[in-house]
Each structure stands twice: as structure tokens, then as C-alpha cells.
């Protein structure tokens, strides 16, 4: 049992790490807040204080609405594909078959591919309308090829990001499946339950916590997708999300003040989403 002395010693030993972490987090945030209240650009040496003007400009910019909508569509689309697809693949991998270990390794492999590399592979080898794999397949069955990145830029990015995150969802959901007791399913089969009923009333409720954790973790990372957009479409109204819009404002326009305001807005929105998901996870863990 810990004594008052040991607790104090533990806090003292942890203090340097906690202080360093606090400084590492609070200094960039404080500077971003300060820059967001200045008319700060790369092309003007003067940086007068303008209050919330940068926030007003960013929030009323038509590009913000479009980027915010694209961010929500991107997150929702990837989550739908990864959760549903991950559940189906996990159910398949949970079965006994020849070559199970190599297949599992191959299914998990895309998660270890760097985002930039994955985007380049999909852009040049899969979605190219001339020599891409998808175009060749469509041509082989008599259908015209599709210029994915031109005609369906946001859908293309959703497919690429979902391909990267599908192994993660599969791994978490497969782990959850393997912890399910076979006795419950055998008892349900003896009572005459069909496979679909067993999945709906036994397997899916058991996987609920794992699904919630997948949604929480993926959402945090999906809110900051950037490399896939930069490599494939290069942005634009139809495919830019909030991180890409903020990066464009500071890199192309040199407007540090507005970009900083956009960063604060993005942080606030991300925290709102995270708080909602954390509460959702908490309810599922208590259930």
C-alpha cells in the first residue's frame, strides 16, 4: 500500500516529464492564439493587433464551409468503410483455413505503408485513367475508364484513406472476435438460431466496445488527413479539408494570422468531436 512519502516521491519523479510535456503543448498553442489576433503576413513587417478579425474572416470564407463539409464527409465515409469492411474481414479471418497466418499478415500490411507512398501508388497504379489497374479492368469488360481524381476527387481520397485504415479496424475487431466465448454461439445453434441471428444478437453486441474504440481512434487521426490530398488532387474546393485549407492559407497566401485562427477553430472542432466520442466510449464501456 502506497504511503504519503512514496506518493510524494512518485510525483516528484514524474514532475520533469509532466512539465516538459506541458511546455511542449502550451507554448505552440499560446503562440498560435497570439498570432491569430495579429495581422501577420510574410509580406508585411508590421503586425498590428486586430482582435477577432482573423476569426471572422476565416469563418465567413466560403472555402471554410466547403472544407468543413469535406472533412465531415471524409471522416464519415472512411469510418463507414473501415467499420463495416473491418467487421466482415474480421469474421472471415476468424475462421480456420489453410494459410491463415500469411493471409492475416497480408491484410494488415497496408497499415504500415506511409500515407504519401499509398497516395502515389493509388494515383499512378490504381486510379490512373490510362494505365491504372481499375481502368484496365473496366476496359477488359467493355466499360469506359474513369478519371477518378478529376471526376470524383473526394471519393478517391476516401477510398485511399480507407484502404490505409482498414487493416487497423480489422486487427482491433478480430481481437475482439477471438475473445468471444464459443459456448454462447454453440448454445444458440443448439436452440436453432441461424448464422445471421447469432451475428446480430451475440457477435455484434460483443464487438460493440471494439467498434467504438476504432471509431474514436480513427476519427482523431482522420481529422488531420493532409498528405493524401496534397499528393493526389492538390486541394481544390471539391477535396480540401480543414488541415489542407489552413496549410494553403499560410503556404500560398503567407497569411499567418488567418491560418493561426483557422488552426484554433480546427482544434476547437476536433475537441468537440473528441469529447462526444469519449462520452460515447464511456457509455459503451459501462454497458
Amino acid at each position: 500500500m502506497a504511503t504519503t512519502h512514496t506518493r510524494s516521491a512518485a510525483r516528484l519523479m514524474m514532475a520533469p516529464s509532466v512539465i516538459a510535456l506541458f511546455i511542449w503543448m502550451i507554448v505552440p498553442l499560446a503562440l498560435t492564439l497570439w498570432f491569430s489576433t495579429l495581422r501577420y503576413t510574410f509580406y508585411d513587417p508590421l503586425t498590428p493587433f486586430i482582435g477577432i478579425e482573423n476569426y471572422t474572416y476565416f469563418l465567413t470564407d466560403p472555402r471554410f464551409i466547403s472544407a468543413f463539409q469535406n472533412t465531415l464527409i471524409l471522416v464519415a465515409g472512411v469510418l463507414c468503410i473501415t467499420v463495416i469492411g473491418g467487421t466482415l474481414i474480421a469474421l472471415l479471418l476468424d475462421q480456420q483455413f489453410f494459410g491463415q497466418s500469411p493471409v492475416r499478415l497480408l491484410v494488415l500490411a497496408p497499415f504500415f505503408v506511409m500515407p504519401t507512398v499509398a497516395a502515389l501508388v493509388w494515383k499512378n497504379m490504381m486510379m490512373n485513367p490510362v494505365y491504372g489497374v481499375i481502368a484496365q479492368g473496366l476496359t477488359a469488360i467493355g466499360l469506359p475508364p474513369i478519371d477518378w481524381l478529376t471526376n470524383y476527387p473526394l471519393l478517391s481520397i476516401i477510398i485511399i484513406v480507407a484502404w490505409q485504415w482498414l487493416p487497423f479496424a480489422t486487427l482491433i475487431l478480430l481481437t475482439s472476435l477471438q475473445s468471444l466465448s464459443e459456448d454462447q454461439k454453440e448454445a444458440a445453434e443448439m436452440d436453432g438460431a441461424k448464422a445471421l441471428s447469432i451475428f446480430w444478437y451475440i457477435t455484434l453486441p460483443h464487438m460493440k466496445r471494439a467498434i467504438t474504440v476504432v471509431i474514436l481512434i480513427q476519427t482523431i487521426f482522420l481529422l488531420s488527413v493532409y498528405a493524401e490530398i496534397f499528393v493526389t488532387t492538390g486541394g481544390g474546393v471539391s477535396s480540401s479539408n480543414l488541415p489542407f485549407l489552413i496549410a494553403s492559407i499560410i503556404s500560398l497566401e503567407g497569411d499567418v494570422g488567418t491560418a493561426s485562427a483557422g488552426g484554433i477553430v480546427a482544434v476547437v472542432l476536433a475537441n468537440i468531436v473528441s469529447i462526444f466520442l469519449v462520452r460515447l466510449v464511456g457509455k459503451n464501456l459501462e454497458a
Side-chain angles (χ1 to χ4, degrees):
M1 184 175 181
T3 63
T4 304
H5 177 71
T6 56
R7 291 197 191 98
S8 300
R11 293 192 185 100
L12 185 62
M13 288 186 289
M14 292 173 58
S17 299
V18 174
I19 293 172
L21 181 62
F22 180 76
I23 294 174
W24 179 63
M25 294 175 59
I26 203 66
V27 170
L29 180 61
L31 288 175
T32 304
L33 280 169
W34 172 242
F35 291 156
S36 69
T37 61
L38 306 176
R39 184 177 288 114
Y40 182 3
T41 68
F42 292 153
Y43 314 110
D44 189 350
L46 300 178
T47 56
F49 179 82
I50 57 174
I52 64 170
E53 185 175 321
N54 285 325
Y55 292 92
T56 304
Y57 176 77
F58 182 79
L59 292 173
T60 56
D61 190 336
R63 295 177 299 175
F64 166 73
I65 302 299
S66 176
F68 182 65
Q69 291 175 345
N70 291 339
T71 302
L72 295 181
I73 295 172
L74 174 62
V75 173
V78 173
L79 287 178
C80 287
I81 295 174
T82 54
V83 171
I84 297 174
T87 302
L88 296 177
I89 296 175
L91 290 171
L92 292 175
L93 295 180
D94 192 44
Q95 309 300 317
Q96 295 294 329
F97 57 89
F98 177 75
Q100 186 181 51
S101 297
V103 170
R104 287 182 176 180
L105 182 61
L106 290 173
V107 169
L108 298 178
F111 186 64
F112 301 100
V113 179
M114 296 296 292
T116 305
V117 176
L120 285 171
V121 168
W122 275 89
K123 177 182 179 180
N124 297 305
M125 297 180 63
M126 300 296 294
M127 293 181 170
N128 189 282
V130 178
Y131 52 81
V133 173
I134 299 176
Q136 294 293 329
L138 292 174
T139 303
I141 60 176
L143 295 176
I146 301 173
D147 192 348
W148 290 90
L149 296 175
T150 300
N151 298 330
Y152 309 102
L154 187 57
L155 176 60
S156 302
I157 294 169
I158 290 174
I159 293 172
I160 296 171
V161 177
W163 178 79
Q164 292 177 263
W165 282 96
L166 185 59
F168 171 80
T170 301
L171 178 62
I172 300 299
L173 297 175
L174 178 60
T175 304
S176 175
L177 268 179
Q178 292 179 334
S179 67
L180 175 62
S181 174
E182 292 293 330
D183 295 339
Q184 295 181 348
K185 295 194 288 185
E186 291 175 0
E189 290 176 355
M190 292 178 63
D191 291 335
K194 302 297 182 181
L196 185 60
S197 298
I198 294 175
F199 170 76
W200 189 259
Y201 294 105
I202 297 178
T203 306
L204 193 59
H206 178 79
M207 298 173 65
K208 182 173 65 173
R209 294 184 179 182
I211 291 174
T212 307
V213 171
V214 168
I215 292 174
L216 173 61
I217 295 176
Q218 286 192 176
T219 300
I220 294 173
F221 285 94
L222 293 175
L223 288 171
S224 59
V225 169
Y226 176 82
E228 293 85 349
I229 300 174
F230 179 79
V231 172
T232 54
T233 65
V237 176
S238 57
S239 61
S240 291
N241 61 351
L242 283 178
F244 194 90
L245 173 61
I246 294 168
S248 300
I249 290 174
I250 193 170
S251 61
L252 300 180
E253 303 174 16
D255 192 345
V256 179
T258 302
S260 299
I264 297 298
V265 171
V267 168
V268 171
L269 294 176
N271 275 276
I272 292 174
V273 173
S274 299
I275 291 172
F276 171 77
L277 291 176
V278 166
R279 290 185 176 180
L280 181 63
V281 170
K283 290 182 180 179
N284 284 338
L285 294 178
E286 292 173 0

